[in-house]
Amino acid sequence: MQLSANKTKRYVHIQTFGCQMNVNDTDRILQVLAPLDYVMTDDPAQASLILLNTCSVRDRAEQKMMSQLGRLAPLKEHNDELVLGVAGCVAQQEGAELLKKVPYLDLVFGPDHIAELPSLLARVAGSEKRVAETELYKRKGYQFVEAEPLPAVDGHAQKVSEFVTIMKGCDKVCTYCIVPFTRGREVSKPHEMVVREVSRLVEAGAREVTLLGQNVNSYGKDLVESSEARFARVPTFAQLLREVDAVPGLERVRFTTSHPMDAIDDLIACFGELRTLCEYFHLPVQSGSDSILEAMRRFYTVADYRDKIAKLRAQCPDLALSTDIIVGFPGETEADFEDSLKLLAEVAYDSIYAFKYSPRPGTKALALGDTVDEADKERRLDAVLKLQKDISRKKMLGYVGKQVEVLIEGPSTRTSKGQSSVVPLDAKPSFQLMGRTRTNVIVNVPVPLGDFWSKRWVGQLATVVIEEAKANSLFGRFA
Ligand code: 5AD
Ligand code: SF4
């Protein structure tokens, strides 16, 4: 059945869990659905297609998805036409089993199958009814969905800040991590495609791009190894950054995520040298104890990590740093944990993402058991967060009275958690604009007239005088 023959507008509702890679995958899903006349809706009751784009990096994210499915189930009873699907890492991990576990589910597809979504929907609409497609592509034959700017629908205007995936998968073997199983081997997107995507997004109005990959620093390694590319020029990640930096009209580049082992000198040299490269580096350390790092198979010591930080800071004194840290990895003693605290205090990151260890199916660490009590994990997490709160507070107060460059992304609203986020331009939610410093700190700028100021400032680089620091954001006025 050729679905695109039907020209009536229909609605798709997508809920996205997890990392930026999933946020970007959701955009690609919307992109492949656009020719089928699907329009995004925030209201699941209006939708004829509901997709949960899921994360399985920790058990809690998976449980969240299951309870969300339960909440959506009654919609199926009232709407025979409704197709309910699960995408992302839980889909990849569970495959057809998920169809067995959830009898009202119609579709399960892994991240490698986004491009095939139209044909998967045709199969659901046809005789198959319930479809699971989760085979992981080998390197050969993997096709990226080349990103196009999304059509501006229902007030969702072109974003000022966009993600561009530069590679998929991960070849590292961190013993706690499920990603190599859900996202497969590393495959790099050809650099011409990356530059084309960035150029197109900039032409459509983006001013900032974040280059995405599980470990962007190993960009290109698979291409160098592949026989087709033997005679082609394959840039390293640092060289790719230079190519992206040269795209006319682009103001800012960020990237995530990096493995410390691969953050090598040619990348460090880019900071302070490339005009667009923002002074912000997310460098996950995971633990401050050598024995835990070894058990995690991270392939660096705390001393190696410190060395990288020192080099980065020498190259770029204003660099903002963030990290990921896991507490309660199997075998983590109080002394190991104290070492993590010590490292956090010493590096004094601008922000951190801290997690309690969560055993994941298929990973090597599973064999080590889950030896740290939940109560101890909780206590260690609290201690980490408390330490970081004080450090972050000092960093935020350091901005007060300073002038900073802010890329204005749009009007801001305050969510229930007190965090700011961008909303569609026509939502008229408030009288403040939201943007970020080059160091990735959110800045709110109260303005007298919402619409007038939005039109004038969105997408602009503004000089803002910071007047107040809250826990997660700054407030200021245009200079
Ligand atoms: N348990 C807890 N945290 C994890 N992460 C990855 N796997 C696990 C796990 N099994 C964290 C790491 C990684 C971040 C994206 O999620 O810190 O950097
Ligand atoms: Fe997971 Fe390690 Fe790969 Fe990051 S580098 S995605 S933590 S396996």
Side-chain angles (χ1 to χ4, degrees):
M1 192 176 80
Q2 180 53 273
L3 279 173
S4 58
N6 178 353
K7 277 289 166 197
T8 51
K9 189 157 92 168
R10 39 198 165 171
Y11 289 94
V12 54
H13 173 76
I14 309 184
Q15 295 181 9
T16 310
F17 302 82
C19 67
Q20 286 124 325
M21 192 66 87
N22 266 12
V23 174
N24 191 245
D25 281 353
T26 292
D27 279 355
R28 303 289 68 80
I29 289 173
L30 289 170
Q31 185 184 319
V32 300
L33 288 175
L36 306 187
D37 300 307
Y38 275 103
V39 175
M40 183 168 51
T41 176
D42 294 334
D43 177 11
Q46 192 187 27
S48 58
L49 172 62
I50 298 179
L51 296 174
L52 300 187
N53 192 6
T54 59
C55 167
S56 62
V57 85
R58 283 167 296 275
D59 189 41
R60 240 173 69 113
E62 215 176 309
Q63 286 166 6
K64 232 162 110 182
M65 179 218 74
M66 286 308 260
S67 57
Q68 195 53 20
L69 270 181
R71 251 173 262 142
L72 294 167
L75 292 175
K76 286 282 288 180
E77 286 165 26
H78 301 120
N79 181 0
D80 287 344
E81 306 283 294
L82 175 62
V83 173
L84 186 56
V86 171
C89 290
V90 180
Q92 185 59 49
Q93 184 193 318
E94 299 266 331
E97 278 300 301
L98 201 56
L99 289 182
K100 284 194 202 144
K101 277 191 204 161
V102 187
Y104 50 85
L105 194 60
D106 305 295
L107 176 63
V108 174
F109 65 103
D112 280 7
H113 296 271
I114 292 173
E116 296 150 47
L117 186 53
S119 69
L120 298 177
L121 288 172
R123 283 165 57 191
V124 171
S127 58
E128 275 181 78
K129 302 268 186 284
R130 305 184 76 213
V131 174
E133 199 62 80
T134 54
E135 198 188 332
L136 268 180
Y137 274 101
K138 302 276 178 289
R139 275 185 178 155
K140 239 177 140 67
Y142 180 78
Q143 295 286 327
F144 285 98
V145 178
E146 184 164 343
E148 307 268 355
L150 287 171
V153 284
D154 294 357
H156 290 267
Q158 169 62 45
K159 284 179 273 186
V160 170
S161 179
E162 284 275 4
F163 295 122
V164 173
T165 298
I166 63 161
M167 58 196 299
K168 76 133 203 155
C170 184
D171 283 1
K172 293 281 183 283
V173 281
C174 306
T175 54
Y176 51 82
C177 186
I178 200 168
V179 167
F181 305 99
T182 59
R183 298 268 172 177
R185 299 291 306 273
E186 283 172 4
V187 186
S188 300
K189 192 182 264 180
H191 65 119
E192 300 91 341
M193 195 188 280
V194 174
V195 172
R196 207 157 53 221
E197 287 182 19
V198 173
S199 306
R200 262 196 225 123
L201 290 167
V202 170
E203 270 164 35
R207 289 289 165 267
E208 171 179 290
V209 293
T210 302
L211 306 181
L212 282 185
Q214 246 71 45
N215 177 21
V216 292
N217 304 121
S218 57
Y219 174 82
K221 284 186 185 159
D222 57 299
L223 293 177
V224 172
E225 284 161 19
S226 77
S227 55
E228 311 97 272
R230 199 173 304 149
F231 302 106
R233 188 183 75 82
V234 179
T236 61
F237 178 60
Q239 286 161 345
L240 181 73
L241 273 179
R242 288 172 195 276
E243 289 184 20
V244 171
D245 179 66
V247 170
L250 183 69
E251 298 291 354
R252 290 178 170 186
V253 180
R254 304 180 189 281
F255 60 85
T256 198
T257 294
S258 296
H259 191 293
M261 202 180 75
D262 295 332
I264 48 173
D265 292 352
D266 68 338
L267 173 65
I268 293 173
C270 291
F271 283 97
E273 198 183 300
L274 299 186
R275 178 187 65 88
T276 60
L277 184 60
C278 289
E279 292 75 24
Y280 171 73
F281 201 154
H282 180 64
L283 196 59
V285 67
Q286 312 298 0
S287 170
S289 148
D290 281 341
S291 60
I292 296 295
L293 286 175
E294 197 181 337
M296 288 176 163
R297 296 195 73 189
R298 291 288 288 177
F299 295 111
Y300 53 83
T301 62
V302 177
D304 297 334
Y305 185 89
R306 278 200 188 101
D307 237 38
K308 300 267 172 177
I309 298 287
K311 272 190 178 160
L312 279 163
R313 284 189 162 149
Q315 172 74 16
C316 182
D318 295 333
L319 190 70
L321 286 163
S322 63
T323 201
D324 291 345
I325 192 128
I326 297 176
V327 297
F329 185 81
E332 186 188 72
T333 60
E334 279 306 314
D336 292 321
F337 171 65
E338 290 294 326
D339 286 343
S340 287
L341 284 180
K342 219 160 74 194
L343 186 72
L344 289 179
E346 180 194 314
V347 177
Y349 295 95
D350 293 71
S351 59
I352 63 162
Y353 301 87
F355 310 103
K356 288 186 283 183
Y357 170 70
S358 167
R360 301 283 60 212
T363 57
K364 281 239 160 63
L366 207 58
L368 304 174
D370 191 7
T371 64
V372 180
D373 288 354
E374 184 57 27
D376 284 332
K377 282 187 192 167
E378 200 75 56
R379 180 177 47 78
R380 289 176 191 179
L381 183 68
D382 284 350
V384 160
L385 294 178
K386 185 165 173 295
L387 169 68
Q388 185 57 38
K389 198 171 162 195
D390 291 343
I391 298 171
S392 295
R393 178 88 198 125
K394 283 197 195 104
K395 299 251 173 189
M396 293 295 263
L397 284 172
Y399 283 97
V400 176
K402 297 226 166 91
Q403 289 200 358
V404 288
E405 180 201 277
V406 177
L407 176 62
I408 304 292
E409 296 181 26
S412 87
T413 50
R414 313 232 92 216
T415 64
S416 53
K417 287 187 189 138
Q419 284 157 342
S420 298
S421 63
V422 173
V423 296
L425 271 182
D426 66 351
K428 301 189 187 69
S430 75
F431 297 100
Q432 62 190 28
L433 292 170
M434 171 267 176
R436 278 169 211 270
T437 62
R438 284 175 66 96
T439 50
N440 209 25
V441 179
I442 288 175
V443 180
N444 296 295
V445 187
V447 288
L449 288 166
D451 265 1
F452 173 78
W453 286 90
S454 293
K455 289 202 178 92
R456 175 159 174 202
W457 280 109
V458 171
Q460 302 292 315
L461 290 172
T463 305
V464 175
V465 182
I466 301 302
E467 295 176 317
E468 195 190 347
K470 300 233 163 142
N472 300 313
S473 59
L474 301 169
F475 284 76
R477 60 176 161 80
F478 291 123

